[in-house]
Amino acid sequence: MDQKLLFQMAVEARKKAYVPYSKFRVGAALLTHNGRIYTGCNIECASFGATNCAERTAIFKAISEGNKDFEAIAIASDNEDYTFPCGICRQVIFEFGKNIKIIVGKSSENLKVMTIEELLPNGFSKEDF
Ligand code: THU
C-alpha cells in the first residue's frame, strides 16, 4: 500500500469539503483490499447534527457501491497537526474491521499509522452481543 499516495488523495478530497459553518475542511481516502479507493469530504448542514464527517462519507460511498473490505483510511484536514477521526467515525470504522489502518499526517512526508483498535481500545462490536 502506498500510504503517501493515499494521504495525498485525502488532501485532494479535502478541496470538495462543504463547510460554510466551521470552515474546517477534512478529506479522507479509503483503500479496499481489492485495490479500490473511495474519497470523501465533510459535509455540513444548517442543522449542525446532520453534518457528515469526511471519513464516513468515504465509507458510506464504498459500502453503497458494494465494497466493505477495508485496508486503510487516510485523513487530511486544514490543521497542520495530525487530525484523528472523531469518536463516531472510530466506531463506524471499527464496525468493518479491527485491523483497519488509520493514516494521519502533518504532511505527506510526515505520516503516522495506527490501527483502529489502537484508537478505539475495547471497542464495542458485533462480537459483543
Ligand atoms: N470532521 C471530520 O470531517 N472528520 C473528523 O474526524 C473530525 C471532524 C469535520 C466535521 C465538521 O464538519 C468539522 O470537521 C468540524 O468539526
Side-chain angles (χ1 to χ4, degrees):
M1 182 208 0
D2 189 337
Q3 297 175 350
K4 197 167 150 181
L5 178 68
L6 200 64
F7 184 78
Q8 281 165 347
M9 290 186 75
V11 171
E12 195 60 29
R14 186 177 70 184
K15 294 180 185 162
K16 304 261 174 44
Y18 175 74
V19 289
Y21 308 105
S22 75
K23 317 263 196 256
F24 183 69
R25 301 174 306 160
V26 186
L30 176 68
L31 174 68
T32 66
H33 279 294
N34 61 9
R36 286 208 54 174
I37 294 173
Y38 296 88
T39 60
C41 61
N42 51 337
I43 303 165
E44 298 184 343
C45 185
S47 176
F48 297 163
T51 290
N52 207 60
C53 291
E55 297 91 321
R56 278 176 290 135
T57 302
I59 290 167
F60 296 158
K61 279 171 69 178
I63 291 167
S64 63
E65 298 289 324
N67 234 319
K68 54 181 164 46
D69 195 11
F70 306 141
E71 183 174 338
I73 185 166
I75 303 150
S77 80
D78 280 332
N79 194 329
E80 284 172 10
D81 205 346
Y82 302 105
T83 294
F84 286 93
C86 78
I88 294 172
C89 290
R90 288 180 199 209
Q91 186 72 51
V92 172
I93 295 165
F94 195 74
E95 176 71 23
F96 298 99
K98 296 181 177 179
N99 294 319
I100 297 171
K101 291 182 199 70
I102 311 298
I103 301 164
V104 292
K106 292 186 178 183
S107 71
S108 54
E109 305 302 323
N110 201 345
L111 301 178
K112 201 179 261 190
V113 186
M114 298 176 78
T115 66
I116 188 60
E117 194 167 28
E118 289 175 292
L119 291 180
L120 192 67
N122 306 117
F124 182 75
S125 77
K126 49 186 171 267
E127 289 157 23
D128 294 306
F129 66 98

